[in-house]
Amino acid sequence: MSKVKNFLENYDNTGTRKNLWNGLNKYFQSIYEEATSENLEEMADKYFSEKRDYEKDIQTFLKSLNGSAPLTIKLKLSNIKTFLIENDVELPEKFWKKIRRRIKGSRALTLDRIPTSSELKKLLLHVPIHGKAVFLCLESSGMRIGEMLKSNIDDLYLDENPARIQIRGEVTKSGNSRHAFFSREAKEALVEWLKVRKEYLRVAAAKSHMYEKSLEDSRIFPFDPSTAYSIWKKALHKSGLNGRDKSTGREKLHPHVLRKFFRTRLGAAGIPIDVVEALMGHEGYLTEVYRRYTIEDLREFYLKGESALLVFTDAAEVTKLRQEVEEYAHKIQKEVDERNKTLQTLVNGLTTENLDMKSKVAKVELENMEIKKGNLETKAELKELSLTVRSLVKKLEKLTEA
C-alpha cells in the first residue's frame, strides 16, 4: 500500500505536500538508520507492520528536531500526528499536550532584519533582469514568493495605474483570490523582463537536461523558487550584505523579509493596517476589507503609500514633490473656486438687472397699450364730432337759402 502517497493526495497545494513529505522523511530517518528519501514508502510499510512504541518514537523524533524553530517543530509534530491518525494510530491527547509543553518559545529562531531602501538598491544592482523584476514585484506588492512564481502573464494588468495583479485562489495560501499592486519601478522592471522572457525560456529549455522544460510555460517567471533563492544569495555576497544568525546559521536577509519591508513601509506611510494586511493576503483581514473597500479604494490607498516602497527613487524627494503638486493643485482649485464665485455673483447681478428690465419693458408696453386705446377713443370722438359739424353746416346752409 502507498501510505505516504495516499496521505499526500489529501492536500492540493504543492508546497504543503512538499512540507509534509519532508516531515515524514525526517520522521522515519530519526527511527530507521536505513531510511532515505528514496525508500520512504517502504519505511512506512515497515513501520506500521511492526509492533511499535509510538510515544517513544515521537519523543525520538522531537529530539532529532533540536535546534529547529519552535513553530517548525510544532508544525512537523502536527503533521506526524495527522499521518498516524490516518493510519489508525491515535495517541492520547494528554501525551500530545505533554510533548507540546517541552517545546520552548513560539517564535522563529532566526532574527530577520528588514532591509533599508538603500540596502535593497545595493543588492538589486547585482541581480539579472529577471531577479530584479521578481524582487521589486515582491517588495512592492507584499506577495509571497510562491504566489509570485505561480502567477501567469494573463493575471497581469499593466495598463492600469498602479499596475495590478489578480492572484488566483489556487496559488494563495488561504485559497482566496485577491488583488495586489506593483510600484512604477516594479512595473518598469517587469516590462523589460517580459521583452526578453521568451529568449530566456528558450535558452533555459536548451540547457535543461535532467528535466524537460516547456517553451509554452505561461508563468510570468518560468523558474522555480530555488532559482530565485540562488539569485538572492549570490547578490547578498556580491553586495556584502550577507550576515548569518549566530544561533541558526541562516541568512538574516532572505526573500521573505521583502513582505516585512512592504508591511513596515506602507504602515509608516499611514495606510490603514487592515488594508496592508489584506494586500499581503492575511486571511483574517481579507473578507472585511473587500466588504468595506472597492478595488478603486484599495488603488487609492496604494498610490498614497507607493513612494515609501520605491527603491531606486528617493522616497523623501517623491513625497516632497507629491506635496508640492498637491499644494499647487489646492492653490489652483482655490483660484478656480474664487473665480467661479465672482462669476456667479456677476451672473446673479445680471439676472436681477434682467428681471428689472423685463419689468420696466412690461410696464412701458402696458402704458403703450393704454395710450393706443386712448388714441382709438379720441379718433372715434373726433369722427363723431366731425359728423355733427357736417350736419350742422348743412342745416345752416338750408336756413340761409330760405
Side-chain angles (χ1 to χ4, degrees):
M1 288 181 64
S2 303
K3 297 183 182 297
V4 175
K5 182 180 178 182
N6 291 339
F7 175 62
L8 297 180
E9 284 178 348
N10 293 323
Y11 303 88
D12 296 326
N13 188 280
T14 304
T16 301
R17 288 200 298 268
K18 184 177 179 181
N19 288 331
L20 290 169
W21 187 90
N22 287 333
L24 292 173
N25 190 37
K26 287 183 178 293
Y27 181 69
F28 289 122
Q29 285 181 359
S30 71
I31 296 168
Y32 299 115
E33 290 184 2
E34 69 272 24
T36 65
S37 57
E38 286 76 21
N39 63 5
L40 194 56
E41 287 287 3
E42 181 185 339
M43 292 297 100
D45 290 338
K46 177 182 178 180
Y47 185 74
F48 290 109
S49 66
E50 298 175 344
K51 188 175 181 180
R52 304 288 312 181
D53 183 343
Y54 297 110
E55 292 187 3
K56 184 177 180 181
D57 290 341
I58 294 296
Q59 291 171 345
T60 301
F61 179 52
L62 181 59
K63 288 180 181 178
S64 72
L65 296 175
N66 187 37
S68 299
L71 288 177
T72 300
I73 296 174
K74 289 179 180 179
L75 179 61
K76 291 189 181 301
L77 284 173
S78 177
N79 292 339
I80 297 302
K81 177 183 178 181
T82 305
F83 179 66
L84 291 177
I85 292 174
E86 287 285 323
N87 289 278
D88 302 319
V89 176
E90 192 162 358
L91 302 178
E93 188 58 32
K94 184 177 180 181
F95 166 75
W96 289 111
K97 287 182 179 179
K98 180 180 177 182
I99 288 295
R100 285 194 291 269
R101 282 198 295 268
R102 291 173 58 183
I103 305 171
K104 297 180 180 180
S106 60
R107 304 188 67 174
L109 293 181
T110 302
L111 296 175
D112 297 336
R113 184 170 67 80
I114 301 174
T116 63
S117 295
S118 59
E119 286 177 327
L120 275 183
K121 178 180 179 180
K122 187 177 180 181
L123 185 145
L124 292 175
L125 290 174
H126 295 279
V127 299
I129 181 59
H130 53 304
K132 181 179 180 182
V134 73
F135 295 136
L136 281 175
C137 284
L138 289 175
E139 65 83 16
S140 69
S141 69
M143 292 176 67
R144 298 177 177 89
I145 190 168
E147 294 171 339
M148 187 73 257
L149 297 182
K150 291 175 185 174
S151 293
N152 297 330
I153 293 177
D154 290 342
D155 299 326
L156 293 172
Y157 296 86
L158 297 179
D159 57 336
E160 297 181 4
N161 181 40
R164 177 173 62 91
I165 183 170
Q166 174 73 49
I167 310 173
R168 291 170 283 114
E170 62 207 64
V171 305
T172 65
K173 186 176 181 179
S174 65
N176 297 316
S177 63
R178 72 178 194 278
H179 303 281
F181 303 100
F182 298 134
S183 68
R184 52 183 176 273
E185 287 182 344
K187 175 184 175 180
E188 182 180 338
L190 193 52
V191 169
E192 293 305 312
W193 155 243
L194 292 177
K195 291 178 183 178
V196 298
R197 178 184 170 279
K198 285 186 178 179
E199 179 61 18
Y200 168 89
L201 196 54
R202 187 188 67 77
V203 173
K207 288 182 178 179
S208 181
H209 302 297
M210 294 182 64
Y211 306 99
E212 184 177 349
K213 196 171 186 66
S214 173
L215 293 174
E216 303 304 317
D217 197 325
S218 61
R219 293 176 298 162
I220 303 168
F221 299 101
F223 48 81
D224 295 329
S226 58
T227 300
Y229 285 120
S230 176
I231 294 172
W232 179 271
K233 186 176 180 180
K234 289 177 181 177
L236 279 179
H237 286 272
K238 288 181 180 179
S239 61
L241 293 172
N242 54 309
R244 296 183 179 275
D245 186 279
K246 292 181 180 179
S247 61
T248 64
R250 290 186 61 196
E251 292 284 355
K252 292 181 180 180
L253 288 179
H254 48 84
H256 186 70
V257 299
L258 297 178
R259 273 169 62 81
K260 296 183 178 182
F261 177 88
F262 176 85
R263 180 197 289 122
T264 304
R265 289 309 184 93
L266 276 193
I271 309 304
I273 188 64
D274 58 338
V275 172
V276 178
E277 296 290 341
L279 289 174
M280 294 177 69
H282 288 157
E283 190 173 6
Y285 295 88
L286 281 172
T287 303
E288 179 63 18
V289 165
Y290 279 102
R291 186 181 67 82
R292 291 172 56 194
Y293 303 113
T294 65
I295 296 179
E296 289 306 314
D297 291 332
L298 296 177
R299 189 190 306 280
E300 288 303 315
F301 278 127
Y302 185 86
L303 286 172
K304 181 181 177 182
E306 181 193 12
S307 62
L309 299 171
L310 299 178
V311 175
F312 290 93
T313 307
D314 189 341
E317 192 63 33
V318 172
T319 301
K320 181 181 177 182
L321 182 61
R322 181 186 291 274
Q323 289 175 344
E324 290 177 354
V325 170
E326 290 177 351
E327 288 173 1
Y328 181 71
H330 179 72
K331 179 182 177 182
I332 294 298
Q333 187 61 50
K334 186 177 180 181
E335 290 178 358
V336 169
D337 290 342
E338 289 176 353
R339 187 174 298 174
N340 287 340
K341 187 176 179 180
T342 302
L343 288 173
Q344 189 60 50
T345 302
L346 181 60
V347 168
N348 291 340
L350 290 173
T351 301
T352 302
E353 290 178 7
N354 189 35
L355 290 173
D356 289 343
M357 185 64 70
K358 283 184 178 180
S359 178
K360 290 178 180 179
V361 168
K363 185 177 180 180
V364 169
E365 287 178 346
L366 182 60
E367 290 175 351
N368 257 349
M369 288 177 65
E370 290 177 351
I371 290 171
K372 285 180 180 179
K373 184 179 178 181
N375 285 341
L376 289 173
E377 290 176 351
T378 301
K379 284 182 179 180
E381 290 174 355
L382 288 172
K383 185 176 181 180
E384 186 177 351
L385 181 61
S386 177
L387 290 172
T388 302
V389 169
R390 286 179 184 178
S391 176
L392 290 173
V393 168
K394 284 182 180 180
K395 286 180 179 180
L396 182 62
E397 287 178 346
K398 285 181 180 181
L399 288 174
T400 303
E401 291 177 356

